[in-house]
Each structure stands twice: as C-alpha cells, then as structure tokens.
Amino acid sequence: MDLESSPRLCIEDVRITGHAQPITLRSYRPASDGTILPIVLYFHGGGFVGGGLDDADIAAATIARDTPAWVVSVGYSLAPAFPFPTAPEDGYRAAQWAVAHARAQRADPLRIGIAGHDAGGNLATCVAAIARDRGDIRMSAQALLAPLLDPSMTRLADERKVLCPDFEACECAQWYRAYLPNPSQRLHPYAAPLESRRLHGLPSALIASAEHDLLHIEAEKYAGELIAAGVSTEVTRHGNASHQALAAHPDALADVVTFFRKRLGRAKQAQEK
C-alpha cells in the first residue's frame, strides 16, 4: 500500500483480484472524527480504453472531503485487451471489497453510492444494475457525469450544433468497438443501459450533462427512462461546459456532493466501543 496524507484525507492504493487480472483501488478517507461514513465507488473516464486513477483524483477527493464519505476509486481493466464484461465485473468486485472492509474503515456497508464520468458513468449505472440483480449489495444512489450510455450511437447531438466538442462521433465508435467487439453485446443491459427495459429498482440518480457534449442528449434521455421506470432522478445540464471538463467541474461536483449527502444520509456518531 502506498499511503499519502493531506490535511483532511488519507489516500492509499490497494491491489485486489479483479475479474481477469489484479486491479488497483484508490481509497480516499477523511480523517476520523468518530463518525460512520457512507461509501462511494467512483469510476474514471477514458472511453473504456484509457484513463486511470489519477484522472479521477479531483472528483474522488472532492466527494470524500465534502460529503464526507469513504471513496473507493476503481482502476478497472481497459479495452481492447480486456473487453466487456471485464470492467463492470471489476467494479462489482471493488464493491464487494469495500463492503468487506467497511467496518475497518469506519464506514457503513448499507449506505453505498456509486459515481463515474464518461465510460465511468456507464460502469457506475451498470454495476448498480449488477448489484440489484445479484442481491448481495444494496446501493442507494448513483451520480453520472456525462455518461456513455448508448453503444448504438443513435442519440448523438448534431455535431454542427455543438461548440468545440472534445471528440468526434467516429472516436466514440472506436471506443465502443474496442469495448464491445461482439455486436450482440451492444444491447446487453450491463453495457447499454439506455437500451435496458429493466431499469426499475435502480438507485436514485443524479445525471449531469454538458452543453458542449455530443452525448448530452443520451444522458438526458436516460434520465427520462429512469423516471418512467419509477427511479427518483435529478438531471442538470451545465452550460459552457464540455464533456471532459465535467469530471472536475466545480458546480457539477457540488451537485454530486449535495446529492450524496441527501441520499446517503449524514454520517452518524459511532456508538460502538
């Protein structure tokens, strides 16, 4: 373990057994003041093929410090070397690890949130669906920042009307081909949440979209689908923000913190001896 410290956070890297290879988790824990913390799993962006724990640092540290919460940032396996379902299964193993170690971290395994940006937003909502279906982990809230949700790419915004997008549609198509090499996987509910007809029972959601993002339409469409399925859902669009910038956007992260504070409850004073 590699331990760092900041005035308010203890940060350490932990290696665990993933679905196909060992993966690294980065733990962000506020200095103990006798409270029991909720748990938040966080997934970085990178289009399923790139990115890493350092890309998640601003979001993970902000959520940990300001909620406050024990945040576990997941260094999931990347495509094309490790295509679907490796990444979501890595995420589920990370959730199991967090639950198993909650007591040692003075955290509450019954108050779990999950969040992510870009591909991490896809993984966050898909891992929440896996947890719902397998029934051994209860998640109470999900926060998705500019998520990738639609491998069919039939709901992209008009590139001519999006000011200076971070990427082109052809790049997004390459990410999905690397992550989902079998075309039939592009309708799987754990890979294509916007195509899923099984959204009932997912945790309450906050979905943040960016004005200058080709994907803002599918993010907002997913919010509507969740609401139709009976899932309590909030959706915000951040003006003058781009897809990549949303991962560290101060207003978006403030909304995530407010959402988790509300949905996961304020930390309670520990009573155990």
Side-chain angles (χ1 to χ4, degrees), residues 10-34:
C10 292
I11 304 171
E12 62 179 341
D13 286 357
V14 181
R15 294 281 280 178
I16 70 167
T17 301
H19 178 68
Q21 65 168 348
I23 61 171
T24 301
L25 311 179
R26 183 164 294 169
S27 166
Y28 297 76
R29 195 190 185 288
S32 177
D33 63 357

Side-chain angles (χ1 to χ4, degrees), residues 89-226:
E89 291 291 352
D90 282 346
Y92 190 70
R93 290 192 180 211
Q96 291 176 310
W97 180 90
V99 167
H101 290 80
R103 185 176 180 83
Q105 296 290 334
R106 298 184 70 80
D108 185 351
L110 299 180
R111 290 188 294 149
I112 304 177
I114 194 164
H117 167 251
D118 179 84
N122 176 296
L123 296 174
T125 197
C126 291
V127 171
I130 294 171
R132 175 203 60 191
D133 294 344
R134 296 182 184 173
D136 59 342
I137 298 174
R138 178 180 177 272
M139 294 188 178
S140 301
Q142 56 176 321
L144 316 180
L145 302 171
L148 274 67
L149 301 167
D150 179 23
S152 75
M153 296 181 57
T154 57
R155 301 169 178 89
L156 292 180
D158 187 337
E159 289 185 277
R160 296 168 298 180
K161 297 180 180 179
V162 176
L163 180 64
C164 300
D166 295 303
F167 58 88
E168 298 179 353
C170 61
E171 294 177 83
C172 191
Q174 291 173 352
W175 302 338
Y176 278 125
R177 283 196 296 270
Y179 179 56
L180 304 167
N182 185 337
S184 67
Q185 295 171 329
R186 297 173 195 179
L187 294 175
H188 196 292
Y190 297 162
L194 197 48
E195 300 292 346
S196 176
R197 302 276 66 86
R198 298 174 54 247
L199 301 179
H200 180 73
L202 288 178
S204 300
L206 169 67
I207 299 179
S209 67
E211 179 181 6
H212 304 312
D213 182 9
L214 293 175
L215 305 180
H216 73 79
I217 292 176
E218 66 187 63
E220 294 159 11
K221 172 69 173 174
Y222 188 53
E225 294 291 332
L226 288 172

